[in-house]
Amino acid sequence: MNSSKFFQLLAKRLLPAAAVLLGSAGLLSSSARAQTFVAEWAEVDIGRLGPTGLALDRVGGVTYLYAADSVNGRILKFDTATGTRVGVFGTTGFGPVQFNAPYGIAVDPVSHDIYVAERGNRRIHRITANGAFVMAWGEPGTGNNQFAAPVGIAADAAGNVYVADHGNNRIQKFNVTNSGGTWQANHVRTWGSLGAGLGQLNGPYGLALDAQGALWVADGGNSRVQKFDANGNYLSVIGWRGTATGQFITPTWVSFDSAGNMWVTETNSDPSNPLAADIGHQRIQKFNAAGTFVSSFGSLGENGGQFRLPFQIVVDVAGDSAYVSDYYNTRLQKFSLSGSTPPPPPPPPPPPTAAAARFVNLSSRLYTSDGDASQAFIAGFVVSGTTRKQMLVRAIGPGLAQFGVAGTLSNPRLRIYSGTTIVAENENWTNDVAMRTAQESVGAFALPAGSLDAGMLVVLEPGAYSLHVLANGGQGVALVEVYDAETSQPTKLVNLSTRGFVSTGDAVLVAGFVVQGTTPKRVLIRGIGPALAGFGVAGSLTDSTLKVYQGTTLVAQNDDWGTPQAVLGGGAPATGVEIAAAAAATGAFALGGGSRDASVVVTLAPGAYSAVVAGANNSTGAGLVEVYEMPTP
């Protein structure tokens, strides 16, 4: 289902009133109502959503919104400019990147990793911005490094992490370090105890750091917000129990905008019951940097701008948009803070013409094993263009068994690198709903439920990337796949290369690719063996062969790149001169004269193809397959 259909369904379900606009004074304007829903949830997703903690992060000029789905045990990531969901991380459970009632979220300002406070598992989880596991700590209890329902969480640039330990009525502070590749959360101090005195707490919920490094805590049971320094010393308090502005009934969260204003979400006296007696306090209050009340908005209801347990509000860096997790209405709401109806988003760039041929899927199959550099499985691909692109990337081992492939890799791990930087990582795809949807939309075969195959949806900037398939102590045949999940965008895949150990039988090196469109595509395909020695690759093939198939039909072949080799029923094969010119045009490294590497230049009609690289006379060794889109003349 495309995003426009998702938004239509959401509008039908959640927008009985036209919209809501937060005016320049911070009050709801009845004359100009506009509301943009950011989520793709409710009946169009799996089960019921219970959004709690939110966090914003700005990377490369793009602002991302993270939302904790406490009901379904996952973290969702959105591009705020378009409302597009670009990541779904985790499932319900206790393993790595599995969650039980995730509540608070905080972004590490240095690494952009995500901290998640798990109320149900009573621990803290750290994952990358693309959902890969980094570390976890904590267990049930009352001691240091133990929790009873951790809810709020905040992180600073010095590696300090603050946790609101709701059930223990206290705050714990940790310092997170990485020594020799090992992550560790070091307990620094604990403060707070059950009570109503200054510095005491009663069911603390959310917390946030201000620009001066002070920690503010939504002291829910005491109906106030308290301020502490970084060492836990009490500094001041805002609010007390009451219904007037500047007073609170169970404040649940506190957040700051870039101007230093503080925003406090507030519900009734029983957050577990949205219809409790004091239902008039489903609202958000704004205070300036001096702690003086400025404005408030919200009431109980399901229309735009109304709430049933507004859990958290976050405001973007520019200060013109706010996002609210509306728990019992199972939605996120986005507000404009500019005082006027926000302009519609710019139209998407025009899609390529129907006749334009392009790669939409690149894949490689290979044998791999730990402990032998010549048997490493490394694939590379290039995304060309000027805009980011969503990709579906998979490393499949167990899933190949359904096709009769013998000796498959039992538990592959997948890493995506940009240069030497890991940008995404996954080990077990864990029946991820977004993955299942993407697989269907791009035509990928389904992975068995609960399989140990790896896969993820990832948004990538234009550039060159490498995929590493790690054997996790095993050995066997694996398949790596890269799918263009946004074929309507002009940014596109233009090159695939895979290096690994070329054996025999099912363990030869196989690259697959799909040409989409209505016109033929000129392609350079190479099977490299001997030339790898010039790059310091030991044990490379001394004589590589290349065959290109459409289904079971052989459409091109070559043994030594300087010697053309015809195919029955095919046209005249490219000469060595033409192949050398194609390599120069695509930026491929030059092959030595007379080398026994294999290469073809072939014009292919739209369809699915495979390129098979093997060793001549069943020889084995390290090999490289490359598929290049030839530039349009």
Side-chain angles (χ1 to χ4, degrees), residues 362 378-382 465-467 482 495-499:
L362 304 171
I378 303 173
F381 65 95
V382 175
Y465 297 88
S466 62
L467 308 176
V482 182
N495 156 237
L496 167 74
S497 62
T498 302
R499 194 195 84 193

Side-chain angles (χ1 to χ4, degrees), residues 498-538:
T498 302
R499 194 195 84 193
F501 185 77
V502 180
S503 187
T504 59
D506 282 344
V508 295
L509 176 52
V510 182
F513 57 98
V514 175
V515 177
Q516 183 189 64
T518 59
T519 59
K521 167 66 64 179
R522 193 76 168 160
V523 180
L524 167 66
I525 307 172
R526 308 200 302 180
I528 309 297
L532 292 179
F535 296 93
V537 178

Side-chain angles (χ1 to χ4, degrees), residues 318-337:
D320 56 9
S321 295
Y323 306 84
V324 180
S325 51
D326 188 4
Y327 183 86
Y328 282 108
N329 281 330
T330 66
R331 63 181 178 182
L332 300 183
Q333 295 194 57
K334 177 181 179 179
F335 299 93
S336 168
L337 304 182

Side-chain angles (χ1 to χ4, degrees), residues 524 526 561 574-591 599 601:
L524 167 66
R526 308 200 302 180
W561 73 276
T575 66
V577 172
E578 291 172 320
I579 289 172
T586 57
F589 64 85
L591 297 176
S599 184
V601 173

Side-chain angles (χ1 to χ4, degrees), residues 114-433:
I114 311 302
Y115 288 104
V116 181
E118 292 186 70
R119 181 169 184 162
N121 283 333
R122 297 173 176 83
R123 65 178 179 180
I124 307 301
H125 225 105
R126 177 170 173 167
I127 61 176
T128 69
N130 288 303
F133 176 76
V134 177
M135 67 181 302
W137 76 91
E139 60 183 14
T142 59
N144 295 334
N145 297 298
Q146 295 181 325
F147 303 103
V151 173
I153 190 165
D156 65 23
N160 296 309
V161 177
Y162 302 82
V163 180
D165 190 359
H166 178 85
N168 285 325
N169 301 295
R170 64 183 183 178
I171 307 298
Q172 291 195 64
K173 178 180 179 180
F174 302 87
N175 186 257
V176 178
T177 60
N178 187 331
S179 178
T182 300
W183 287 96
Q184 185 172 355
N186 306 294
H187 181 267
V188 177
R189 58 178 46 88
T190 298
W191 68 87
S193 60
L194 178 61
L198 297 178
Q200 292 185 305
L201 301 167
N202 183 1
Y205 283 93
L207 44 78
L209 292 162
D210 65 19
Q212 291 72 44
L215 185 74
W216 295 76
V217 181
D219 188 6
N222 286 323
S223 297
R224 63 187 179 183
V225 176
Q226 294 197 71
K227 179 182 180 181
F228 299 88
D229 68 17
N231 294 315
N233 298 306
Y234 165 81
L235 297 177
S236 62
V237 66
I238 291 178
W240 58 91
R241 186 177 179 84
T243 59
T245 57
Q247 298 177 332
F248 302 113
I249 301 291
T250 315
T252 54
W253 223 273
V254 55
S255 301
F256 288 91
D257 61 27
S258 58
N261 298 306
M262 182 172 67
W263 302 76
V264 182
T265 51
E266 178 187 3
T267 186
N268 54 47
S269 58
D270 182 7
S272 67
N273 179 10
L275 298 178
D278 48 354
I279 61 176
H281 309 293
Q282 311 283 336
R283 63 180 179 179
I284 294 169
Q285 297 195 61
K286 177 182 177 182
F287 300 81
N288 63 20
T292 302
F293 170 80
V294 176
S295 60
S296 68
F297 69 97
S299 61
L300 178 69
E302 298 183 3
N303 294 341
Q306 294 183 313
F307 307 107
R308 292 195 301 157
L309 183 49
F311 216 88
Q312 185 175 2
I313 181 173
V314 289
V315 180
D316 65 17
V317 173
D320 56 9
S321 295
Y323 306 84
V324 180
S325 51
D326 188 4
Y327 183 86
Y328 282 108
N329 281 330
T330 66
R331 63 181 178 182
L332 300 183
Q333 295 194 57
K334 177 181 179 179
F335 299 93
S336 168
L337 304 182
S338 61
S340 60
T341 302
T353 62
R358 63 190 296 172
F359 292 152
V360 294
N361 161 229
L362 304 171
S363 62
S364 297
R365 195 187 77 191
L366 188 65
Y367 175 88
T368 186
S369 173
D370 280 341
D372 186 341
S374 70
Q375 296 184 358
F377 192 163
I378 303 173
F381 65 95
V382 175
V383 178
S384 75
T386 59
T387 59
R388 294 170 294 118
K389 172 166 286 294
Q390 187 175 57
M391 317 295 294
L392 169 64
V393 186
R394 307 197 300 180
I396 301 170
L400 294 178
Q402 62 187 305
F403 301 103
V405 178
T408 58
L409 189 62
S410 61
N411 186 20
R413 187 176 186 88
L414 176 64
R415 284 179 181 166
I416 303 178
Y417 286 82
S418 175
T420 59
T421 301
I422 299 175
V423 297
E425 185 171 8
N426 179 263
E427 183 169 347
N428 299 325
W429 76 286
T430 59
N431 302 326
D432 180 82
V433 62

